[in-house]
Amino acid sequence: MSCEELVAALPEGRVITEPATMENYRWDRANDPDAGTPLAVVRAESTEDVQTVVRYAAERGIAVVPRGAGSGLSGGSTAVEGGIVLSMERMREITVDPLTRTAVVQPGAFNAEVKAAAAEHGLWYPPDPSSYEFCSIGGNIATNAGGLCCVKYGVTTDYVLGLKVVLADGRAVELGGPRLKDVAGLDLTKLFIGSEGTLGVITEITLRLIPAQRPPTTLVSTFKSLEASTEAILAISSSMRPSMLEFMDRPTINAVEDATRMGLDREAAAMLVVQSDEPAEFAAQEIANIETLCQEHGADEVFSTTDADEGEAFVVARRMAIPAVEQKGALLLEDVGVPLPKLGDLVSGIEQIAQRREIVIAVIAHAGDGNTHPLLVFDPTDLDQKERAHTAYGEVMDLAVELGGTITGEHGVGRLKRPWLAGYIGEDALDLNHRIKMALDPQNVLNPGAVLDPAALKS
C-alpha cells in the first residue's frame, strides 16, 4: 500500500518510509519477537499532525501505534505489520507556571527534562522510573509509571491534571486542566492514563508540581536471607513512610557489582536502599528507627549517610539494575506486584520457580509498595532454556495472582502479558474493557493487539 497521500498531507520531513530507518521503530525494550514492519513512521510535531495521521488511518482501516521514547518493557509500542508508527519524539515542549505549580508538557519530553524544567523554579515532578533519563512523559502516562519515590509520593496519575487527546476519529478533546479540584462529568482524564495508546493519542499533558524535595538521608542494609529482608520491609512500611524503599536480591547485586565495582557485598542474599527526605533532625530519627528495625530483623550490615553524592551512588546502583542484568543474557522482564504482607511469599516463590526451571531470575523491587521486577535471564540460542524461561515467565504471573497481586504494577500489559489479562481481571471486567475500547475506537485502529485481543473485540 502506498502512503503518498499521507506524505502529501503532512509537512515535509514528517513521514519515514525508508526500511533501514523504520527498523529502529519496530520494537521497544521488550524486543517483542512478533514485531511487524510498518507501512510508515510519522514523527509528529503537533496535535494537528496527529489528527492528520489518525484520520488518514481511520479512513483506510490502518493500525496506528503511538510511540514515545521506545523505553517500554511490555511490547506496548511494538510495530504492527502494515501499520503506522506514530512517534512523539519531536513533541518536546515544556512550559512551567510556578504560580499554579503546573507544567504543560508535550508527550515526547523526557521525564528528566520535566524534572529539570521544574527545578529551575524550585519545583519538583516526583514520578521517577529507573529509566527517567530516557523515558518520555507520554509513555509514563500510557502505563501509569511509578518509580523509586512512589512509595511516598505516588505514581504518574497522581500528578496528571489534564490531557489533550486525539480520538480514533481524529477529534482532539481537552480533558481536565490546571485545577486541583474538578468533578464536572465523568473523570475521563483518568480513563486515558494507563490505557497504553488504545483509546486515544495524548498530545499534551498538564502536570501538577510540588516544592523541591529536601536532600535525603540514605541507608543501605544487607541481609543473609530473603526472608529476613522482606520481614524488615514489612516492619519499616507498617510504622513509617520513607521516601524510598528499594530491594535487590543476590543475582542483581552481583550483576550491578560486575558493572560498577563499587564494593557491594556479593554474598548478601538481599540489599535494601532506603531514603528519608524529612527535615534533617526528623530524617536522622527516621533513619535511626529504620536501622534499628533492620538490625532487629537480622541485617548483616547497615550503613547510612547524609552525604548526597554518597547516597546517590547507591540509588544509581539500584537504577542500573536492569541494564546490568541485561549484560548476562536475553531478558524477560516481569512487573508483578502483591499486597505488602505477601511480598515475602512472592520473593521466595520466585526463587523456587528459578530453581525448578533451572534459570536465573534476578529480582528488584519497589519494596515499599510490593511492586517487583523479576528479570528472567536466558540464552536465546539455547532453545530448551528459552522455553523454560517462557514457562517461568507465566508461572511468576500466576504466583502473583494467587497471592492476591497483579500481573503488572507499572509497565503495562502491552502485548507480552495480554494472555494473562483475562485470568487476572476476570471475564466481567474484561468485557467492560472491550466495551470501552469499542465505544471509543470501534475500528480498533489505535494500537491493536496491545492490552486486548483483537479477535475477542470482533466476537
Side-chain angles (χ1 to χ4, degrees):
M1 180 185 293
S2 171
C3 54
E4 292 178 0
E5 292 179 33
L6 180 61
V7 174
L10 289 164
E12 185 176 355
R14 301 289 202 273
V15 182
I16 299 171
T17 57
E18 205 277 319
T21 304
M22 290 198 299
E23 193 74 7
N24 299 320
Y25 293 85
R26 293 181 61 202
W27 295 275
D28 58 16
R29 288 182 73 200
N31 294 315
D32 184 352
D34 298 322
T37 299
L39 171 70
V41 173
V42 176
R43 293 183 292 195
E45 296 188 17
S46 66
T47 296
E48 291 73 23
D49 287 351
V50 173
Q51 289 179 286
T52 298
V53 172
V54 172
R55 285 170 178 152
Y56 174 91
E59 289 169 1
R60 294 161 178 80
I62 298 172
V64 175
V65 177
R67 178 185 175 92
S71 62
L73 297 169
S74 60
S77 59
T78 297
V80 172
E81 186 70 27
I84 297 171
V85 173
L86 180 52
S87 172
M88 318 304 282
E89 64 190 295
R90 291 183 172 179
M91 298 182 66
R92 305 282 279 272
E93 293 181 7
I94 303 169
T95 303
V96 175
D97 181 350
L99 186 62
T100 60
R101 294 206 300 233
T102 60
V104 177
V105 180
Q106 289 187 319
F110 286 176
N111 183 294
E113 293 171 340
V114 175
K115 290 183 184 299
E120 291 178 5
H121 300 275
L123 299 171
W124 182 39
Y125 177 66
D128 63 335
S130 293
S131 57
Y132 80 103
E133 293 178 312
F134 58 88
C135 65
S136 72
I137 288 295
N140 291 173
I141 290 172
T143 65
N144 193 20
L148 279 66
C149 291
C150 61
V151 62
K152 181 174 183 178
Y153 289 100
V155 296
T156 299
T157 189
D158 299 309
Y159 296 88
V160 178
L161 297 174
L163 298 173
K164 182 179 287 185
V165 183
V166 174
L167 303 177
D169 60 7
R171 287 181 295 163
V173 296
E174 295 192 23
L175 307 170
R179 300 169 292 278
L180 295 180
K181 297 176 74 174
D182 186 349
V183 296
L186 301 179
D187 193 350
L188 298 178
T189 303
K190 299 299 184 185
L191 177 64
F192 286 91
I193 299 169
S195 64
E196 303 188 46
T198 62
L199 303 181
V201 182
I202 295 167
T203 62
E204 186 178 277
I205 308 105
T206 302
L207 297 173
R208 178 172 69 93
L209 306 176
I210 64 175
Q213 186 182 31
R214 288 177 288 266
T217 300
T218 304
L219 176 144
V220 179
S221 182
T222 56
F223 296 82
K224 291 181 178 179
S225 74
L226 293 175
E227 182 180 11
S229 68
T230 55
E231 288 178 351
I233 290 166
L234 291 179
I236 295 166
S237 298
S238 65
S239 58
M240 57 196 79
R241 194 182 182 196
S243 58
M244 183 180 298
L245 179 48
E246 295 291 306
F247 167 96
M248 298 162 61
D249 72 350
R250 181 178 289 131
T252 309
I253 294 168
N254 278 273
V256 172
E257 177 62 16
D258 287 343
T260 65
R261 305 296 179 186
M262 65 183 292
L264 300 180
D265 182 359
R266 290 185 178 275
E267 299 304 314
M271 182 174 84
L272 302 185
V273 180
V274 190
Q275 287 192 330
S276 172
D277 64 356
E278 294 295 321
E281 90 177 82
F282 297 105
Q285 185 60 58
E286 186 169 56
I287 289 296
N289 292 341
I290 292 171
E291 180 173 352
T292 298
L293 290 173
C294 287
Q295 291 171 337
E296 288 177 352
H297 289 85
D300 192 36
E301 183 179 0
V302 183
F303 163 83
S304 64
T305 179
T306 58
D307 183 275
D309 292 337
E310 201 170 24
E312 182 61 19
F314 287 100
V315 176
V316 169
R318 164 58 188 88
R319 289 191 190 279
M320 71 175 300
I322 293 178
V325 176
E326 279 180 319
Q327 301 302 311
K328 306 302 178 181
L331 294 187
L332 289 171
L333 298 99
E334 296 268 17
D335 176 40
V336 294
V338 292
L340 265 177
K342 297 293 185 180
L343 182 62
D345 293 335
L346 177 64
V347 171
S348 62
I350 291 170
E351 184 179 45
Q352 293 168 17
I353 291 171
Q355 293 171 352
R356 186 168 67 248
R357 297 301 173 187
E358 298 181 320
I359 61 167
V360 173
I361 304 181
V363 180
I364 54 179
H366 305 309
D369 54 26
N371 185 194
T372 71
H373 299 316
L375 312 173
L376 291 79
V377 186
F378 65 97
D379 178 355
T381 65
D382 184 334
L383 297 183
D384 179 64
Q385 188 180 91
K386 182 178 179 181
E387 182 178 351
R388 284 186 276 114
H390 278 82
T391 299
Y393 182 75
E395 290 176 338
V396 168
M397 282 188 278
D398 291 340
L399 172 63
V401 173
E402 289 170 9
L403 294 173
T406 176
I407 62 174
T408 175
E410 61 182 359
H411 292 170
V413 174
R415 289 167 174 79
L416 300 190
K417 298 170 193 167
R418 193 183 70 203
W420 287 270
L421 181 63
Y424 167 53
I425 66 174
E427 291 301 325
D428 289 341
L430 184 63
D431 178 63
L432 199 54
N433 275 260
H434 289 163
R435 291 187 189 188
I436 293 170
K437 170 67 170 175
M438 288 293 92
L440 292 174
D441 181 18
Q443 291 180 268
N444 194 23
V445 166
L446 298 176
N447 213 4
V451 186
L452 303 172
D453 183 356
L457 293 171
K458 294 176 182 177
S459 62

